């Protein structure tokens, strides 16, 4: 996606340009390319984590879409374990925690188990979300799986994450050809800066000309 970005696709916001005092094509483009790339990553990361978690065990699967849950694991005893997955240890505020606490209680009443699963972090991390989980859920340690706990529980393999990170590292090396996403963003920014300057000119005048053209 980054390699295919153009000035027309990032479409810099003129209000943001002026409000943040972006006075040169370089400043305008670098911020907007970064925001576009990171917004896409954040949007897709939840689905990516969910797929990784489902793939780590033959006893895990995607629940029916209408259920609202992200994963379901069936134990060797046939017990269903429902999991709502969050990408990181600071991705929930009070309202979602209260909502999922009620959903967890529903599953428990049905005779199943249910959890809020957080993909990375530790219980000792001092984040707002982990603090709220302890504050709102009196039995939070029983209905949450934090970091390694989540992956160990679903995969039933304490070395799963070690192997997973190595696979991810090797895959990234193949896809990004030994470079990083940061380098890809820099290359993209340089290309679109040249595009903006070529069309509107350099310096503050170039930014002025861009705003005048689109507004």
């Amino acid at each position: 996606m980054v390699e295919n970005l153009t000035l027309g696709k990032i479409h810099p916001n003129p209000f943001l340009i002026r409000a943040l005092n972006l006075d040169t094509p370089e400043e305008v483009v670098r911020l907007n390319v970064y925001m576009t790339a990171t917004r896409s990553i954040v949007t897709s990361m939840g689905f990516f984590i969910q797929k990784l978690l489902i793939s780590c065990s033959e006893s895990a699967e995607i629940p029916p879409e209408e259920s609202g849950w992200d994963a379901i694991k069936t134990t060797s005893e046939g017990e269903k374990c429902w999991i709502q997955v969050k990408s990181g240890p600071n991705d929930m505020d009070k309202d979602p925690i209260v909502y999922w606490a009620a959903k967890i209680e529903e599953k428990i009443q049905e005779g199943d188990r249910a959890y809020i699963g957080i993909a990375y972090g530790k219980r000792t991390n001092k984040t707002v979300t982990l603090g709220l989980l302890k504050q709102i859920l009196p039995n939070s340690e029983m209905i949450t799986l934090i970091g390694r706990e989540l992956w160990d529980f679903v995969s039933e393999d304490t070395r799963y994450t070690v192997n997973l990170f190595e696979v991810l590292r090797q895959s990234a090396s193949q896809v990004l050809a030994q470079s990083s996403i940061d380098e890809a963003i820099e290359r993209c920014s340089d290309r679109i800066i040249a595009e903006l300057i070529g069309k509107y000119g350099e310096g503050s005048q170039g930014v002025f000309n861009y705003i005048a053209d689109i507004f």
Side-chain angles (χ1 to χ4, degrees):
M1 181 274 287
V2 171
E3 291 176 348
N4 291 318
L5 283 179
T6 63
L7 182 62
K9 288 181 178 178
I10 64 171
H11 203 61
N13 184 324
F15 296 98
L16 196 63
I17 289 172
R18 289 310 184 208
L20 298 182
N21 197 29
L22 306 176
D23 202 37
T24 67
E26 290 81 2
E27 292 172 345
V28 170
V29 169
R30 291 191 190 285
L31 177 63
N32 278 272
V33 169
Y34 180 81
M35 289 194 304
T36 302
T38 53
R39 184 162 56 243
S40 175
I41 291 169
V42 169
T43 300
S44 62
M45 182 54 63
F47 297 107
F48 178 61
I49 294 295
Q50 180 184 358
K51 289 179 179 179
L52 287 178
L53 190 65
I54 295 295
S55 69
C56 79
S57 172
E58 293 183 359
S59 64
E61 59 184 334
I62 299 175
E65 185 175 352
E66 62 271 15
S67 75
W69 295 86
D70 293 324
I72 181 171
K73 176 182 171 65
T74 305
T75 69
S76 57
E77 292 79 23
E79 190 174 21
K80 290 183 178 179
C81 304
W82 302 78
I83 307 172
Q84 171 64 18
V85 182
K86 294 301 175 184
S87 299
N90 213 19
D91 289 353
M92 301 178 78
D93 55 25
K94 180 179 178 180
D95 289 344
I97 292 174
V98 171
Y99 173 81
W100 282 106
K103 296 281 283 184
I104 289 171
E105 184 59 29
E106 288 178 10
K107 290 301 180 185
I108 292 174
Q109 292 300 319
E110 293 171 5
D112 294 340
R113 290 155 62 186
Y115 303 91
I116 294 173
I118 297 179
Y120 72 91
K122 295 182 177 181
R123 294 187 180 277
T124 54
N125 292 153
K126 297 186 182 302
T127 70
V128 172
T129 292
L130 295 182
L132 286 171
L133 286 172
K134 294 176 183 177
Q135 176 184 335
I136 297 171
L137 307 178
N139 58 338
S140 63
E141 292 193 2
M142 300 295 294
I143 61 174
T144 57
L145 297 165
I146 312 296
R148 282 283 298 275
E149 298 171 1
L150 174 63
W151 300 94
D152 290 354
F153 173 75
V154 176
S155 69
E156 300 180 44
D157 179 1
T158 57
R159 287 195 54 80
Y160 180 80
T161 49
V162 175
N163 297 327
L164 173 61
F165 285 128
E166 180 58 21
V167 169
L168 291 175
R169 186 189 67 79
Q170 292 179 8
S171 300
S173 294
Q174 293 180 21
V175 173
L176 295 172
Q178 303 302 320
S179 65
S180 69
I181 188 65
D182 181 65
E183 292 169 329
I185 289 173
E186 281 298 308
R187 290 194 301 270
C188 177
S189 297
D190 290 342
R191 176 171 50 78
I192 298 179
I193 288 168
E195 181 186 356
L196 192 153
I197 290 175
K199 188 173 183 179
Y200 296 106
E202 297 183 344
S204 59
Q205 186 62 48
V207 175
F208 178 86
N209 293 340
Y210 166 75
I211 293 175
D213 185 44
I214 67 168
F215 197 80

